[in-house]
Amino acid sequence: MKAIYGIGDIHLAGYPEWIFKVGDKFIEWLDSFYFGDKKESEVILTGDVTSKDLLPGLIIDQLERLIEVLERKFSHIYICMGNHDLKKWHGKLQHPLIAIGKRPSITVIEKHGTIKTPLGFNVLFLPFQKITGTNCEDFYNSMPPEFTIPYDVIVGHFAKKDNFLYKKGVNTDLFKTREWFLGHIHNRPEKEYLGSVYSLNPTEEKCKYPRCMKKVTKENIEDINLPKFLTYKTIAYPDKPTLDSSMVEVFTVKNCPNKLAAQEYYKELFIKGIEKEKEDIKDVTVTTTSDKTFKNYHEAFDSWISETGTKVSRQVYKLVNSMLKETEEN
């Protein structure tokens, strides 16, 4: 049965360090999922395939691996431009999908427009784009009548207008479609969104509707819920957590003086930050790889000066200690 699938924001990135591992988890799952006959399957990525940062070599390789899996699964791949895909480098806007888009099996959508896919699906693409004198939302809210005909799927990378957070979003009631593939908003507050494939921060973990892929055929529309690739947890120092290998786990550590000490103690874990409890923190000490124990960065810095005999001016000493204090407070 002919089908076109929608996949939400993937955000391949090398930082924070755990995101690269999440990307690998997603690619492994994608490779294991059965989408049906390749000849009868197409796919649309709703944008933000990559993060907003310039991409190091490992992420370019990861992007290539993602595309290789998609090419094995689908007869054609459409990538709708997202705001994070566009990057300004030396004053020039560009994106990492330029070379990938030259492959015959891939179409990168940079401008709005209608496409009739080889499998017969009528799709309107409304990507993120820079428009002189206006913005995407206002532009799409004033689309000419030829774009308001019925579609099988409308793909967009923007916020849908509502009466709360996104009052200046796109009014989706202006358009006619059997199904929406919306990216950009990660926690899927409306069914039109797919949600990002993982939560980029703890506030995005809870979704009104589950993160999903969408499958559209000529007869049916289906949400395919995604597995959980990433979770955020809190532990109390010096407890050791039981790890779940099915997903990437990122920890906030309670009762620890600073993030560096937490990272030193929990070498095998991804540490997002610390949560201080002021009434208890004075009595907590953390042992580092040396045979000494420090209660804070200041004490460790003084020890380093003493042990190495390094001469530090008063001005530099004050500056470094103020920075260390700021780091501890964060």
Side-chain angles (χ1 to χ4, degrees):
M1 182 181 294
K2 295 177 181 179
I4 190 162
Y5 291 81
I7 297 176
D9 302 17
I10 301 173
H11 282 280
L12 297 180
Y15 185 83
E17 60 271 23
W18 53 82
I19 298 300
F20 180 77
K21 189 172 181 181
V22 176
D24 276 351
K25 286 274 188 188
F26 172 69
I27 293 170
E28 289 168 8
W29 174 81
L30 197 69
D31 198 23
S32 69
F33 191 89
Y34 179 67
F35 291 90
D37 186 350
K38 173 181 175 176
K39 294 178 182 178
E40 295 196 334
S41 302
E42 298 170 326
V43 69
I44 297 170
L45 308 186
T46 62
D48 286 358
V49 178
T50 61
S51 73
K52 61 185 177 182
D53 299 323
L54 291 172
L55 305 182
L58 283 175
I59 308 307
I60 294 173
D61 176 72
Q62 191 177 56
L63 177 59
E64 286 282 349
R65 288 188 281 116
L66 170 66
I67 296 301
E68 287 170 5
V69 170
L70 292 173
E71 285 184 319
R72 287 199 298 272
K73 300 285 185 177
F74 301 101
S75 59
H76 202 85
I77 302 157
Y78 296 92
I79 304 177
C80 182
M81 188 67 63
N83 58 307
H84 283 198
D85 293 316
L86 277 176
K87 308 167 200 307
K88 183 173 282 190
W89 179 245
H90 293 291
K92 187 175 181 180
L93 276 175
Q94 53 193 293
H95 59 81
L97 309 172
I98 293 173
I100 289 170
K102 293 178 181 178
R103 302 186 188 195
S105 63
I106 297 176
T107 303
V108 177
I109 309 296
E110 299 183 58
K111 302 294 182 183
H112 64 282
T114 301
I115 289 179
K116 186 73 172 256
T117 76
L119 294 181
F121 293 98
N122 196 27
V123 182
L124 173 62
F125 286 91
L126 304 175
F128 174 83
Q129 55 183 318
K130 295 287 187 179
I131 303 169
T132 303
T134 186
N135 56 54
C136 281
E137 290 77 14
D138 289 345
F139 182 78
Y140 292 146
N141 281 330
S142 58
M143 293 285 279
E146 60 262 33
F147 291 104
T148 59
I149 63 171
Y151 293 93
D152 291 307
V153 175
I154 299 180
V155 184
H157 195 89
F158 52 73
K160 174 191 172 185
K161 183 178 181 180
D162 61 24
N163 294 320
F164 183 51
L165 289 176
Y166 306 112
K167 293 181 180 180
K168 295 185 178 181
V170 175
N171 182 3
T172 56
D173 291 337
L174 298 172
F175 301 89
K176 299 179 181 69
T177 183
R178 291 177 58 218
E179 185 59 291
W180 283 91
F181 289 178
L182 283 187
H184 190 50
I185 304 302
H186 297 165
N187 61 347
R188 207 180 174 211
E190 305 274 357
K191 286 187 176 181
E192 289 86 348
Y193 298 105
L194 284 82
S196 56
V197 300
Y198 65 91
S199 50
L200 274 69
N201 58 64
T203 63
E204 294 179 358
E205 277 212 276
K206 291 184 179 180
C207 298
K208 183 176 180 180
Y209 300 100
R211 302 173 195 279
C212 73
M213 289 189 304
K214 291 188 177 187
K215 177 183 179 181
V216 174
T217 67
K218 291 298 182 179
E219 294 79 22
N220 298 303
I221 297 171
E222 179 185 359
D223 282 8
I224 302 169
N225 292 346
L226 297 177
K228 198 167 188 177
F229 299 107
L230 170 66
T231 189
Y232 299 88
K233 295 183 175 181
T234 300
I235 53 173
Y237 173 84
D239 295 348
K240 293 283 189 176
T242 301
L243 301 180
D244 183 350
S245 61
S246 69
M247 66 185 78
V248 177
E249 297 174 298
V250 178
F251 293 88
T252 295
V253 183
K254 297 171 63 175
N255 303 335
C256 200
N258 51 64
K259 187 176 178 180
L260 182 63
Q263 290 171 326
E264 184 72 27
Y265 182 75
Y266 295 105
K267 291 187 188 312
E268 74 283 9
L269 304 184
F270 291 120
I271 303 300
K272 187 178 189 300
I274 61 167
E275 183 180 310
K276 291 185 179 181
E277 295 185 9
K278 294 182 180 180
E279 64 273 16
D280 299 324
I281 202 69
K282 293 180 181 179
D283 299 325
V284 176
T285 59
V286 178
T287 303
T288 65
T289 49
S290 70
D291 58 357
K292 292 194 174 183
T293 298
F294 304 109
K295 290 187 176 182
N296 52 51
Y297 287 153
H298 173 77
E299 190 176 311
F301 183 47
D302 283 349
S303 176
W304 174 77
I305 292 173
S306 175
E307 289 180 5
T308 62
T310 303
K311 292 184 179 180
V312 179
S313 69
R314 182 176 299 178
Q315 186 177 3
V316 170
Y317 182 79
K318 286 183 177 180
L319 176 62
V320 171
N321 272 313
S322 67
M323 293 171 66
L324 292 175
K325 182 178 180 181
E326 183 178 347
T327 301
E328 289 176 351
E329 290 174 349
N330 292 335

